[in-house]
Amino acid sequence: MKITLNRLNDDFLFECTNAQGNSILLDNTSQPGAKGVSPMESVLMAVAGCSGIDVVSILKKQRQEITDFKAEVEGERVAVDDAKPFKSINVKFLLEGNIDPKKALKASELSFEKYCSVSKTLEPNVEIGYEVFVNGEKVEK
């Protein structure tokens, strides 16, 4: 796996491109007029995307009818010397459709405990939690 990063302006705007030519913009969001996401925001996006792919894939295999899928991800950071890495990340899955809540919860559990490479990469240093809502109702663990 390889990406390339190219600086697009005289400041902090970068385009990151993968081998297939797909790209995202990264920027210093503490500066006015930022045109991309911060690198730390991209980490949260990666957790959401990785686990989202897992959950949707598992539920599709179980023939669950997903009419809408969203994830909200929040990260808490802590100062370590001059850096501020994530201390914890919480993912909230919001699913709509003809979905068995227990299957949605199990799919989420499998993602974080077994399949999501992004969360597994972060896991040794970051506490990762999740919540699942199906049709507006929280699914209890």
Side-chain angles (χ1 to χ4, degrees), residues 9 12 16 23 43 50 58 60 67 71 79 87 92 96 98 132:
N9 64 10
F12 309 103
C16 297
S23 62
V43 171
C50 185
I58 292 166
K60 285 181 79 159
T67 58
K87 174 184 174 185
K92 183 188 292 186
E96 299 286 332
N98 188 8
V132 178

Side-chain angles (χ1 to χ4, degrees), residues 123-139:
E123 193 175 77
N125 298 308
V126 182
E127 181 183 321
I128 299 178
Y130 60 93
E131 300 173 278
V132 178
F133 292 78
V134 175
N135 299 319
E137 298 289 324
K138 184 174 181 176
V139 183

Side-chain angles (χ1 to χ4, degrees), residues 44-105:
L44 297 180
M45 291 176 176
V47 170
C50 185
S51 59
I53 288 169
D54 292 340
V55 171
V56 169
S57 176
I58 292 166
L59 291 176
K60 285 181 79 159
K61 287 177 185 170
Q62 296 175 339
R63 300 176 196 242
Q64 301 298 293
E65 295 175 29
I66 305 167
T67 58
D68 193 37
F69 181 95
K70 290 184 176 68
E72 297 174 358
V73 185
E74 292 186 50
E76 181 184 347
R77 297 171 73 180
V78 62
V80 176
D81 298 322
D82 291 332
K84 289 189 351 192
F86 287 115
K87 174 184 174 185
S88 63
I89 294 173
N90 190 64
V91 181
K92 183 188 292 186
F93 291 120
L94 307 162
L95 296 94
E96 299 286 332
N98 188 8
I99 303 164
D100 180 332
K102 288 180 182 161
K103 288 183 178 182
L105 185 62

